Amino acid sequence: AQTVTQSQPEMSVQEAETVTLSCTYDTSESNYYLFWYKQPPSRQMILVIRQEAYKQQNATENRFSVNFQKAAKSFSLKISDSQLGDTAMYFCAFMKAFGNEKLTFGTGTRLTIIP
Amino acid sequence: NAGVTQTPKFRILKIGQSMTLQCAQDMNHNYMYWYRQDPGMGLKLIYYSVGAGITDKGEVPNGYNVSRSTTEDFPLRLELAAPSQTSVYFCASSYSGTTTNTGELFFGEGSRLTVL
């Protein structure tokens, strides 16, 4: 079974600064996907960024980027030039690449952007 | 664009009552899921479905039932509600095909259920 660990329950950062959220996972699979999902106070979960394990290049989406270290089983999210709208719960998630398409979530990091 | 629609958004139940949480998606996704989210915890998978007529248990299926008679709908039934089922419930859907598989789930807005 897979496990996903987020060791930072809460973080806060000043607006316009850069913040990094940590995530580690444990799996015996070689092909999988990793995700960061954002859950704003309105509660609907939305995808922030996605990484395929077979790709060495780190995924980027505008101000969001990841540091994927496959050997260390680490998948951190970096938010650059943070904005007030980035305030949310952030969940790291794992999915096997083939088979049951089920996500395993971490416990989340509550990020607050301070004006 | 409706996406994934859940109803109701809020509900209070008494112990022992039953209810059904409705979920519908209009994206022609084959996979559908029910998760629950407890305070300070990540989402836990209750049940999922890979297509109409096919359902399977997730991590925490006890006390729940599902059905998938159509591609669009995936209702979650709570029988004999218990305080331990107080939670926020999320329905999600995704598409997985032979040539298309992003692994991305699309979520509904959630249903907050309180059992007293």
Side-chain angles (χ1 to χ4, degrees), chain B:
Chain B
N1 276 347
V4 178
T5 303
Q6 290 181 234
T7 56
K9 287 186 169 49
F10 302 92
R11 182 73 186 268
I12 298 175
L13 282 180
K14 294 182 179 179
I15 295 172
Q17 288 186 320
S18 300
M19 75 159 296
T20 299
L21 297 175
Q22 302 291 343
C23 176
Q25 54 93 8
D26 62 358
M27 297 174 282
N28 201 30
H29 285 170
N30 47 356
Y31 281 72
M32 294 188 75
Y33 314 80
W34 276 105
Y35 285 89
R36 60 177 286 172
Q37 183 182 26
D38 298 321
M41 306 290 289
L43 279 72
K44 299 290 186 184
L45 183 64
I46 305 170
Y47 270 95
Y48 69 103
S49 168
V50 303
I54 305 169
T55 62
D56 207 349
K57 296 178 180 178
E59 300 173 73
V60 290
N62 291 343
Y64 307 94
N65 278 301
V66 294
S67 60
R68 184 95 181 270
S69 57
T70 67
T71 299
E72 294 78 18
D73 301 299
F74 190 43
L76 177 71
R77 177 84 177 160
L78 281 72
E79 304 282 1
L80 299 175
S84 61
Q85 293 178 303
T86 294
S87 189
V88 181
Y89 292 83
F90 288 94
C91 180
S93 71
S94 68
Y95 181 77
S96 179
T98 54
T99 58
T100 304
N101 181 8
T102 68
E104 177 181 0
L105 269 62
F106 293 80
F107 286 84
E109 293 186 352
S111 299
R112 183 177 296 276
L113 176 66
T114 302
V115 182
L116 300 173

Side-chain angles (χ1 to χ4, degrees), chain A residues 33 35 37 39 42-47 50 89 91 95 97-108, chain B residues 9-10 31 33 35 37 40-43 45 48 88 90 96 101-105 107-112:
Chain A
Y33 302 119
F35 305 85
Y37 278 86
Q39 187 181 39
S42 64
R43 296 191 299 157
Q44 188 165 21
M45 197 92 68
I46 56 174
L47 179 66
R50 169 178 177 269
M89 281 288 289
F91 291 95
M95 177 188 283
F98 304 104
N100 54 27
E101 305 281 335
K102 294 184 289 184
L103 277 176
T104 300
F105 286 88
T107 53
Chain B
K9 287 186 169 49
F10 302 92
Y31 281 72
Y33 314 80
Y35 285 89
Q37 183 182 26
M41 306 290 289
L43 279 72
L45 183 64
Y48 69 103
V88 181
F90 288 94
S96 179
N101 181 8
T102 68
E104 177 181 0
L105 269 62
F107 286 84
E109 293 186 352
S111 299
R112 183 177 296 276

